[in-house]
Amino acid sequence: MVRLMSTTTPWVEVYEDLHRHPELSFDEHRTAGIVADALRDFGFEVETGVGRTGVVGVIRNGDGPTVLVRADMDALPVTEQTGLPYSSSVEGVAHACGHDLHVTCLLAACEELAASRSTWSGTLLAVFQPAEELIVGARAMLDDGLYERYGRPVVVLGQHVAPLPAGVIGLHTGPAFAAVDGLSITLHGTGGHGSSPHTTVDPVVMAASTVMRLQTVVSREVNPKDMAVVTVGRLSAGTKSNIIPPVATMDVSVRTYDEAVRSRVLGAIERIVNGEAASAGAPRDPEIRHLERCDAVVNDGDACEATRPALASTGALVIDPGSVAGSEDVGLFATEADCPCVYWLLGGADPSHFEGLSTVREFGEKVATLPSNHSPAFAPVPEPTITLGTAALVAAARHWLPVG
Ligand code: ZN
Ligand code: ZN
C-alpha cells in the first residue's frame, strides 16, 4: 500500500472548515458560496442556484469533449460523535457521509486543471450537486437545464469516500451502487374498542402479517444469484393499548442491482400488501406511494478499463470492492446524457488500522469493524485522502480531455 506524506495543506483547512459547517440537503448555501468563490478565483465561468443550491463551474478550453466531474455537498441529520477538533458546530447535523471531502477534492482538482489548461483541450464541467442524501439533487440540476446550458458530457466522473484504507481506490465495473425504491404503505382497517376486536378489522395484525410475509420476497421469489434487500424501516399504528386503530402505516426500502429483479420485487410487494389486506377483510384497498426512486449506478466496463490506469497513476492501489448496497444519484447524470459513468470509492480510513494485515479477507473484516458512512463516528483521515482524491480526479479528467 502507498504511503503518502501526511501534511497540512490549505485544502485540509478548507476541508476542516466545511466539516465544521455542515448543511442539510438543499440548504447548502454557505458551501455553495465557498465553492463558487473558489471556482471564480481559478478562472471558471460559474453559475449558482442550479437545481436550487447546486453550483456549476465550466472552463471552455477549445475543441474537444465535455467531461463532467461531480461532487455532492450535503450533510446528514446526524449528531457527530467523532471527537475531532474540527467536529460539526451545528447541532444535530454532520458531514457523516464525507461529502465535505468530495467538495474539497473537486475544488483542488479544479484549481489544478485550470492552472494546467494549456496542456489539455475540451470543456471541463465541474458539478457541485445538492441533496444527494435525498436522491433528488441530480434530478433537480438536470431539470434546471444543466445540459441545455452546458451541453452533454462524454463521460461522468466522480468518487465517494469509504472506509477502505486511505491509499486504496475501489473501482467496480457494472452495478456499483444499488437502485433504491422507498415505499410508503397505508393499510386501512376499521377501528374500535380494544375489548371488542370482533367489531373491528385490526390493521395492527394486518401490518404484522404483511411485514412477515414481505420477508419471503427475497427468500422465496428472488433468484439466489441475484441481490435484493427489502427492509421495513418504519411501522406505526395506534395510540393506546385499548384502542384498535383505523390505520397502520409502514415505510419500506428496496435495493436491487438489476431492473428485472427490481420490478419483480416491487410487484411482489404490491401483491402481498393487497393480498394481506384482502385476507383480513379490509374495508378499503391499501395505498402504496413511491416516495423515493433512483436507478442503480452502473459503471461502464470500457470506460472503467480506460480510466483505471489513470487512477493507478496516482500511486493508489486500485482494487475491485464489489457492488455497494447503498444508493447514489450520480448515475442519473450519465443516463440522461447517454454516456458512460465511472464512479469509484476513495479509501479514507486511517492506514494504521490495517497494519500487519495481508489477506483480502483480513482487510474486508477490518473494514467491517470501522465506522461506516452515515455513522456518527465516521471520520476519514484528511491526508492522504484529500491529496489522493484530488490526484484521482485530475488524472481521470485528463484521461478524457485530449492533450491540447
Ligand atoms: Zn450518504
Ligand atoms: Zn454520500
Side-chain angles (χ1 to χ4, degrees):
M1 190 181 313
V2 213
R3 283 296 153 75
L4 298 173
M5 290 287 289
S6 279
T7 49
T8 299
T9 65
W11 289 114
V12 171
E13 286 167 28
V14 170
Y15 169 67
E16 292 182 356
D17 175 69
L18 292 170
H19 193 85
R20 235 182 246 119
H21 300 98
E23 295 171 301
L24 291 174
S25 305
F26 284 133
D27 198 27
E28 308 92 336
H29 300 287
R30 181 181 184 276
T31 309
I34 289 168
V35 167
D37 287 348
L39 290 174
R40 280 191 202 101
D41 277 356
F42 305 154
F44 279 71
E45 179 192 318
V46 176
E47 195 168 6
T48 57
V50 182
R52 293 170 64 177
T53 40
V55 183
V56 180
V58 64
I59 293 188
R60 296 179 217 268
N61 193 30
D63 291 342
T66 296
V67 171
L68 190 160
V69 190
R70 175 268 207 179
D72 42 11
M73 303 191 290
D74 52 333
L76 286 162
V78 164
T79 299
E80 182 161 350
Q81 290 169 13
T82 62
L84 291 167
Y86 51 90
S87 284
S88 170
S89 61
V90 185
E91 184 66 31
V93 182
H95 266 299
C97 202
H99 298 184
D100 46 353
L101 207 120
H102 306 166
V103 171
T104 306
C105 291
L106 183 50
L107 279 181
C110 284
E111 182 181 38
E112 204 169 321
L113 288 162
S116 62
R117 74 175 78 186
S118 61
T119 63
W120 56 269
S121 70
T123 297
L124 175 65
L125 192 58
V127 169
F128 292 82
Q129 182 204 308
E132 186 283 329
E133 294 295 352
L134 303 181
I135 314 267
V136 293
R139 181 80 270 159
M141 292 190 85
L142 290 163
D143 286 352
D144 202 10
L146 180 68
Y147 291 162
E148 286 74 15
R149 295 188 224 179
Y150 298 102
R152 282 168 201 277
V154 298
V155 69
V156 170
L157 305 170
Q159 61 188 356
H160 205 301
V161 66
L164 297 170
V168 169
I169 282 175
L171 179 63
H172 180 71
T173 296
F177 284 74
V180 61
D181 291 277
L183 308 173
S184 175
I185 297 169
T186 303
L187 297 165
H188 296 281
T190 307
H193 200 287
S195 66
S196 306
H198 59 290
T199 65
T200 72
V201 176
D202 189 345
V204 174
V205 176
M206 206 189 301
S209 159
T210 303
V211 170
M212 293 314 292
R213 182 84 198 180
L214 286 176
Q215 308 310 309
T216 67
V217 175
V218 173
S219 70
R220 304 292 84 185
E221 298 197 45
V222 173
N223 188 323
K225 74 177 175 53
D226 293 322
M227 189 293 269
V229 178
V230 175
T231 290
V232 180
R234 193 189 65 80
L235 176 62
S236 145
T239 53
K240 193 169 184 290
S241 64
N242 65 352
I243 302 172
I244 293 171
V247 294
T249 61
M250 62 177 82
D251 291 344
V252 182
S253 184
V254 178
R255 311 283 168 144
T256 50
Y257 293 126
D258 178 88
E259 274 304 309
V261 176
R262 186 182 187 183
S263 48
R264 167 123 202 201
V265 168
L266 292 174
I269 291 172
E270 188 179 342
R271 194 191 69 238
I272 287 168
V273 168
N274 285 317
E276 290 296 338
S279 136
R284 272 172 64 194
D285 288 342
E287 283 139 27
I288 304 177
R289 286 185 301 137
H290 225 124
L291 295 184
E292 186 176 65
R293 192 194 305 257
C294 182
D295 293 346
V297 176
V298 182
N299 273 334
D300 180 84
D302 292 345
C304 281
E305 285 326 301
T307 312
R308 190 183 300 273
L311 297 176
S313 75
T314 61
L317 175 67
V318 183
I319 62 161
D320 180 351
S323 305
V324 174
S327 300
E328 248 291 345
D329 62 359
V330 65
L332 203 56
F333 289 113
T335 314
E336 190 95 346
D338 197 20
C339 78
C341 180
V342 181
Y343 194 68
W344 61 89
L345 297 180
L346 174 67
D350 190 334
S352 67
H353 291 306
F354 299 86
E355 264 159 24
L357 307 183
S358 53
T359 67
V360 172
R361 188 199 174 100
E362 285 173 338
F363 269 73
E365 285 171 357
K366 174 52 79 176
V367 167
T369 67
L370 298 174
S372 62
N373 303 67
H374 292 205
S375 154
F378 183 64
V381 285
E383 290 293 6
T385 314
I386 292 170
T387 299
L388 195 57
T390 303
L393 290 172
V394 170
R398 290 192 64 102
H399 169 77
W400 291 89
L401 291 163
V403 176

